[in-house]
């Protein structure tokens, strides 16, 4: 019986057959390995070190759960848990309720001046969270302008002040989500309700609310997580009302008790993680309300509704503008509220060494914007387009930073980068660690934006490239990046603005020579120089507004140069391989 070549090939053991990797495969796997290494070094390792530290005493000896027993057995410390949960829940309910009515007015009425109301409502995004507290103290504190004019002291310090300031700070975040939810609706549902004779209230209850329920859940998650992890507002206006974020700061900075700080951090992670997983579980059940056959809902004039909601939005916008007016005026007068003579002396910043913190913030924010945009888009490309066995775990790790509070991340970085025997120690005390902290802290939103942008691109681009022998990295550079350029610009702006105002993640990491503007505001307020803190806040807000304006200009140019394909469907029908030529 003759032996064929196929029989000889089958007799060769599989382990002796080696598949040669091409250069493109090597580059692809190298990117996957590099992305995995970044996530391990800056997320997994710091979190593991913090968890381990919570199981040791201050001398480094294993004590198991003794720190947690001590934490919950000390009433003064354990109260921070219930305090955090109560103010977070109250602020969440108030914020979402106020933002829903405001969003409804912007999307469902013929109310005039909608553009102005949108701009004013977004102002809190451009300032660190503690700026709202400083403004509330200036307005409603024991010597606030409202207290002096009316002789009514509302008792702004404590839980009441934290809730009001957090509502003020979180309002634009909830508003953005609810405007998007209310804008995506099908007019046919309202036509059907009208045909069936449903009243306006019944239509609202059976059509409007079910249509935005996932937006409401998302807004609740964002507000609850933001409030329970915020440090700036409770620090300035909380007084003796302790919450978990301030408790971490007190344990680490006040008592040098890093072990208890790690213990409180792990406890703080629990509600943030629970809120995150509940939100993801509910969002999985969401479905698309807008299909190809849907008809956009056009608001119809309703005199009483339009004027009523106009008055409501005017009050909300007036309060927001008034709070920032207080900040601006207090930075320009000799002594608020006793001497209103104009001066620029508060802009000298002699308490924190001049303008160095502000320049550091601009520099670090610019680097964070570049590094964060590159990291999120390369990471999203690795997960979405390379499709290796590591894609699933890498995606889950990329989602984790959104549930890690800034204080927890900063403390975890101390344990990781301040170890003398670690090679990572070289980063501690440098601007590089601040950039890394910013990138990781805001990584998830940028990653999700990049992933969504990549999912919208047809896989035919990669298929045609492969059939033409074009390497995937050339397709990424010449096709993917130009198409996704609007998202890339948007993500870079997101990183820059958040890096300018963030406080909680950096308060443990700044060192002499690396002071940041938001931290300087905290230090000046602690030192009693609240006028200088207000002046620094004004400059932070001004820089944020200028960057937002530049972003608007950039988007006009980017859209005109790179999105012409979206305006010419006939040209888009041509083969995608032409774009690679």
């Amino acid at each position: 019986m003759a032996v064929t070549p196929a029989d000889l090939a089958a007799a060769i053991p599989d382990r002796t057959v080696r598949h040669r990797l091409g250069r493109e495969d090597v580059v692809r796997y190298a990117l996957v390995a590099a992305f995995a290494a970044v996530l391990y070094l800056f997320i997994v390792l710091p979190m593991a070190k913090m968890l381990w530290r919570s199981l040791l005493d201050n001398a480094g000896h294993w004590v198991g759960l003794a720190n947690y027993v001590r934490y919950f057995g000390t009433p003064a410390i354990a109260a921070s848990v219930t305090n955090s949960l109560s103010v977070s829940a109250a602020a969440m309910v108030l914020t979402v309720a106020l933002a829903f009515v405001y969003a409804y007015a912007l999307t469902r009425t013929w109310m005039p001046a909608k553009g102005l109301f949108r701009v004013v409502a977004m102002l809190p995004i451009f300032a660190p969270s503690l700026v709202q507290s400083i403004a509330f103290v200036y307005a409603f504190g024991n010597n606030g302008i409202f207290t002096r004019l009316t002789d009514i002291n509302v008792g702004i310090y404590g839980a009441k002040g934290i809730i009001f300031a957090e509502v003020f700070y979180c309002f634009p975040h909830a508003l953005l989500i609810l405007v998007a939810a209310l804008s995506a609706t099908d007019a046919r549902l309202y036509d059907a309700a009208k045909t069936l004779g449903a009243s306006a209230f019944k239509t609202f209850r059976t059509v409007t609310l079910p249509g935005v329920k996932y937006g409401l859940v998302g807004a609740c998650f964002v507000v609850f997580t933001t409030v329970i992890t915020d440090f700036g507002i409770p620090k300035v206006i909380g007084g003796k009302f302790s919450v978990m974020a301030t408790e971490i700061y007190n344990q680490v900075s006040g008592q040098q008790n890093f072990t208890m700080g790690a213990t409180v951090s792990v406890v703080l992670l629990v509600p943030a993680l629970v809120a995150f997983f509940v939100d993801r579980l509910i969002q999985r059940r969401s479905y698309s309300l807008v299909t190809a056959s849907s008809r956009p809902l056009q608001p119809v004039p309703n005199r009483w509704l339009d004027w009523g909601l106009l008055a409501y939005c005017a009050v909300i916008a007036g309060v927001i503008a008034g709070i920032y007016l207080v900040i601006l005026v207090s930075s320009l007068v000799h002594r608020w509220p006793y001497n209103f003579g104009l001066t620029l002396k508060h802009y000298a910043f002699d308490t924190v060494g001049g303008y160095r913190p502000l320049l550091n913030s601009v520099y670090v924010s610019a680097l964070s914007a570049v590094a964060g945009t590159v990291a999120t888009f390369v990471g999203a490309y690795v997960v979405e387009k390379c499709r290796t066995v590591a894609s699933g775990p890498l995606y889950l790790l990329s989602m984790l930073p959104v549930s890690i509070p800034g204080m927890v991340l900063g403390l975890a970085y101390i344990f990781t980068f301040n170890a003398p025997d670690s090679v990572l120690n070289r980063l501690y005390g440098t601007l590089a660690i601040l950039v890394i902290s910013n990138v990781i802290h805001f990584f998830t939103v940028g990653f999700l934006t990049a992933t969504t942008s990549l999912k919208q691109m047809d896989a035919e681009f990669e298929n045609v490239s492969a059939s033409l022998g074009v390497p995937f990295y050339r397709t990424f550079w010449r096709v993917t990046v130009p198409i996704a350029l609007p998202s890339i610009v948007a993500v870079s702006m997101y990183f820059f603005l958040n890096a300018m105002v963030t406080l909680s993640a950096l308060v443990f990491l700044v060192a002499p020579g690396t002071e940041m503007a938001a931290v300087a505001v905290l230090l000046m307020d602690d030192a009693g120089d609240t006028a200088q803190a207000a002046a620094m806040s004004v400059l932070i807000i001004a820089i944020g507004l200028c960057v937002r304006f530049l972003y608007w200009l950039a988007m006009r140019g980017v859209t005109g140069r790179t999105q012409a394909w979206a305006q010419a469907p006939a040209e888009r029908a041509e083969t995608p391989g032409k774009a690679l030529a």
Side-chain angles (χ1 to χ4, degrees), residues 335-403:
R335 186 172 176 79
W336 176 283
Y338 306 104
N339 185 349
F340 285 94
L342 295 179
T343 181
L344 291 176
K345 67 177 184 180
H346 304 308
Y347 285 82
F349 305 125
D350 49 0
T351 305
V352 293
Y355 281 80
R356 177 187 287 273
L358 191 65
L359 296 177
N360 283 344
S361 279
V362 174
Y363 182 61
V364 168
S365 299
L367 290 179
S368 301
V370 174
T373 304
V374 172
T376 51
F377 266 84
V378 171
Y381 191 86
V382 165
V383 171
E384 188 60 30
K385 298 293 184 180
C386 291
R387 289 295 179 185
T388 64
V389 293
S391 294
L394 292 178
Y395 181 84
L396 289 177
L397 284 178
S398 301
M399 298 296 295
L400 191 58
V402 76
S403 59

Side-chain angles (χ1 to χ4, degrees), residues 256-407:
Q256 297 293 304
N257 190 345
F258 287 86
T259 296
M260 187 53 70
T263 305
V264 182
S265 298
V266 174
V267 176
L268 179 58
L269 269 176
V270 174
L273 284 172
V274 169
F276 169 72
F277 284 112
V278 169
D279 176 69
R280 300 303 301 176
L281 188 64
I282 294 176
Q283 295 296 342
R284 280 186 178 181
R285 300 179 180 178
S286 64
Y287 51 88
S288 176
L289 289 173
V290 180
T291 64
S293 57
S294 297
R295 186 162 55 84
L297 178 65
Q298 298 296 333
V300 295
N302 185 321
R303 184 178 178 183
W304 293 109
L305 181 65
D306 295 344
W307 282 104
L309 290 179
L310 174 64
Y312 172 81
C313 291
V315 171
I316 297 289
V319 172
I320 294 175
I323 289 295
Y324 283 96
L325 185 62
V326 167
I327 288 291
L328 177 62
V329 173
S330 63
S331 72
L332 294 172
V333 299
H334 282 280
R335 186 172 176 79
W336 176 283
Y338 306 104
N339 185 349
F340 285 94
L342 295 179
T343 181
L344 291 176
K345 67 177 184 180
H346 304 308
Y347 285 82
F349 305 125
D350 49 0
T351 305
V352 293
Y355 281 80
R356 177 187 287 273
L358 191 65
L359 296 177
N360 283 344
S361 279
V362 174
Y363 182 61
V364 168
S365 299
L367 290 179
S368 301
V370 174
T373 304
V374 172
T376 51
F377 266 84
V378 171
Y381 191 86
V382 165
V383 171
E384 188 60 30
K385 298 293 184 180
C386 291
R387 289 295 179 185
T388 64
V389 293
S391 294
L394 292 178
Y395 181 84
L396 289 177
L397 284 178
S398 301
M399 298 296 295
L400 191 58
V402 76
S403 59
I404 300 176
M407 297 288 293

Side-chain angles (χ1 to χ4, degrees), residues 409-578:
L409 187 67
L411 185 57
Y413 276 21
I414 290 180
F415 297 144
T416 305
F417 296 99
N418 197 28
D421 56 343
S422 171
V423 295
L424 299 174
N425 182 256
R426 295 181 179 180
L427 293 172
Y428 193 74
T430 67
L431 292 177
I433 190 65
L434 305 182
V435 174
I436 293 170
S437 173
N438 285 333
V439 170
I440 297 301
H441 190 194
F442 305 110
F443 187 84
T444 301
V445 173
F447 177 81
L448 286 176
T449 304
T451 302
T452 303
S453 179
L454 292 174
K455 281 182 176 179
Q456 292 173 344
M457 298 181 196
D458 198 329
E460 192 177 359
F461 287 112
E462 283 76 22
N463 297 336
V464 172
S465 299
S467 65
L468 293 176
V470 178
F472 78 91
Y473 45 82
R474 186 175 300 173
T475 307
F476 175 78
W477 181 250
R478 302 188 64 174
V479 177
T480 305
V481 170
I483 293 178
L485 204 51
S487 298
I488 291 174
V489 175
V491 169
S492 63
M493 188 201 67
Y494 169 80
F495 273 106
F496 184 91
L497 291 179
N498 281 284
M500 279 296 297
V501 302
T502 188
L503 170 67
S504 56
L506 303 184
V507 69
F508 290 141
L509 300 176
V510 292
T514 65
E515 299 89 351
M516 304 294 288
V519 179
V521 173
L522 174 68
L523 296 178
M524 288 186 286
D525 182 71
D526 273 349
D529 294 324
T530 51
Q532 292 197 33
M536 183 69 81
S537 304
V538 169
L539 294 182
I540 294 174
I541 296 170
I543 291 174
L545 290 174
C546 288
V547 170
R548 187 65 181 83
F549 179 69
L550 293 176
Y551 164 75
W552 176 75
L553 290 179
M555 284 302 294
R556 292 185 63 183
V558 166
T559 303
R561 289 176 178 273
T562 65
Q563 306 300 302
W565 59 275
Q567 307 299 327
E571 295 179 6
R572 191 175 33 173
E574 296 180 5
T575 172
K578 188 177 178 180

Side-chain angles (χ1 to χ4, degrees), residues 68 71-89 224 228 241-248 263-271:
Y68 295 93
Y71 174 68
F72 288 104
T74 308
I77 303 178
S80 64
V81 178
T82 54
N83 290 344
S84 293
L85 293 175
S86 61
V87 297
S88 300
F224 183 85
I228 202 169
F241 189 83
S242 174
V243 297
M244 282 191 281
T246 54
E247 193 58 41
I248 295 173
T263 305
V264 182
S265 298
V266 174
V267 176
L268 179 58
L269 269 176
V270 174

